[in-house]
Amino acid sequence: MYLLQHVELQVPSPKQDEVLLKMEATSINPFDLRIQKGIVWPFLPRKFPHIPGIVAAGEVFEVGSGVKNFKAGDKVVAVLFNICGGGLAEFAVAKENLTVSRPPEVTAFQGAALPIAGLAAHECLLRTPGFSYEKTGQQLNLLITAASGGVGQYAVQLAKLGNAHVTATCGARNLDLVKSLGADEVIDYKTPDGAALKSPSGRKYDAVIHCATGFPWSTFKPNLSTNGKVFDITPTPSVFMTYALQKLTFSKKQLVPLLMTPKKQKLDFLLNFVKEGKIKAVIDSIHPLSKAEEAWPKSIDGHATGKIIVEP
């Protein structure tokens, strides 16, 4: 496993289509941990030292010659999806097409918490047949596992903005929190019903946003409606194999690996929800950049409540 170390590097220069950001906050995401553990080696990291952090909230410090929509001093949120990361730093570069303006109503911490976790939750809902933020159509029954985590917290809130009845699982200490986010039913995952993912009201799930680990397909299948889908946000090779087999056999119930490509328009859409107070970031803890290595084990543990933030 690669270790986190503090090093001094030159401030990066923005390319033609990039903005240089003076960082105000970033968050730690599962993809960062996958890179650190070597799961995506030899594809990533491409070079060392690799700077983790694939999201940024900050102030535009300099713009590339081709940048049209931003200027120095603008407050923004960005996905640093140039594969090189860079968020755990004082300065980072971001592509203009993955950078959005941050309204004054949205703090840097809220902005840094949103991009990957919020976009993953949003993408699952967009792929759920019949889901609508307009609350039109028949009510859907959704299950969200690990609902107090980074993605789960947004999934609950976003689902309740639409036409969904939400059943959620989490640890006992977070039952009240998840209920306060809007979940209709909350189950302690350590109880028999929680381990079996059974709805207390006996509902069959039209979709599951699976943010936890350790549940086999055999646990999900009896709890799904006829065309129920399970969206796995951190798919393993076995998930891809199960999905491929189900496609070949024309199975109506499916385990779907979530592969997400961040889009500027979708991030702007979610940021507007934050601005309007319709969703909020649950923040587990805030750490200074000088002690970023202390935030890392908390994220690896997998039991953080909400997002872990690092600020310069």
Side-chain angles (χ1 to χ4, degrees):
M1 182 182 292
Y2 306 114
L3 300 177
L4 288 182
Q5 296 181 352
H6 291 274
V7 297
E8 293 284 339
L9 299 173
Q10 285 188 334
V11 174
S13 298
K15 296 178 182 177
Q16 182 179 4
D17 60 345
E18 293 178 337
V19 293
L20 174 64
L21 305 180
K22 189 176 190 302
M23 292 292 296
E24 295 177 0
T26 189
S27 60
I28 300 174
N29 290 278
F31 189 71
D32 296 312
L33 303 179
R34 288 188 169 202
I35 293 175
Q36 190 206 21
K37 291 177 181 178
I39 293 175
V40 289
W41 176 260
F43 303 104
L44 296 172
R46 290 183 176 178
K47 63 178 182 178
F48 291 97
H50 173 78
I51 305 173
I54 55 175
V55 300
E59 181 178 303
V60 175
F61 190 79
E62 184 182 344
V63 299
S65 60
V67 171
K68 306 293 184 183
N69 298 314
F70 298 101
K71 63 183 185 304
D74 287 347
K75 298 289 188 179
V76 298
V77 175
V79 178
L80 307 179
F81 238 71
N82 55 6
I83 303 301
C84 298
L88 285 181
E90 294 174 329
F91 291 88
V93 291
K95 296 290 185 183
E96 182 183 20
N97 64 2
L98 286 175
T99 302
V100 299
S101 297
R102 191 177 91 229
E105 297 88 348
V106 180
T107 69
F109 295 160
Q110 290 173 321
L114 179 67
I116 300 302
L119 286 170
H122 179 54
E123 191 66 28
C124 291
L125 292 170
L126 291 180
R127 297 186 189 184
T128 299
F131 178 80
S132 169
Y133 284 117
E134 303 300 323
K135 295 194 175 185
T136 57
Q138 184 178 351
Q139 185 184 61
L140 301 178
N141 295 315
L142 266 59
L143 170 66
I144 298 166
T145 63
S148 60
V151 177
Q153 56 152 330
Y154 287 116
V156 171
Q157 295 176 79
L158 290 170
K160 290 307 299 178
L161 291 178
N163 57 327
H165 176 282
V166 173
T167 303
T169 70
C170 63
R173 66 188 175 94
N174 290 319
L175 292 174
D176 289 341
L177 168 66
V178 174
K179 191 74 174 178
S180 74
L181 295 176
D184 299 287
E185 302 175 324
V186 188
I187 318 168
D188 179 353
Y189 74 94
K190 290 186 177 180
T191 64
D193 278 353
L197 300 178
K198 289 185 177 180
S199 162
S201 58
R203 295 167 185 261
K204 297 295 184 180
Y205 308 121
D206 299 301
V208 179
I209 300 179
H210 185 35
C211 309
T213 57
F215 287 93
W217 171 245
S218 59
T219 302
F220 290 110
K221 189 174 181 179
N223 292 303
L224 296 176
S225 63
T226 303
N227 296 297
K229 303 286 188 290
V230 178
F231 299 99
D232 193 322
I233 68 164
T234 53
T236 60
S238 65
V239 172
F240 286 95
M241 291 177 63
T242 299
Y243 175 65
L245 180 61
Q246 290 169 345
K247 294 290 282 186
L248 287 172
T249 56
F250 302 99
S251 174
K252 292 183 178 180
K253 299 181 180 182
Q254 292 183 351
L255 177 61
V256 182
L258 180 68
L259 298 175
M260 182 192 70
T261 302
K263 299 290 186 182
K264 179 173 182 170
Q265 295 82 357
K266 293 179 180 179
L267 179 56
D268 199 38
F269 176 80
L270 293 180
L271 205 58
N272 196 53
F273 276 162
V274 179
K275 173 188 173 182
E276 294 173 354
K278 292 182 177 179
I279 61 174
K280 64 180 181 179
V282 177
I283 295 175
D284 178 275
S285 53
I286 300 169
H287 304 262
L289 179 61
S290 60
K291 296 183 178 179
E293 67 277 8
E294 295 179 3
W296 217 253
K298 196 173 186 64
S299 184
I300 292 173
D301 179 65
H303 292 287
T305 301
K307 296 296 295 181
I308 298 170
I309 302 294
V310 177
E311 63 172 335

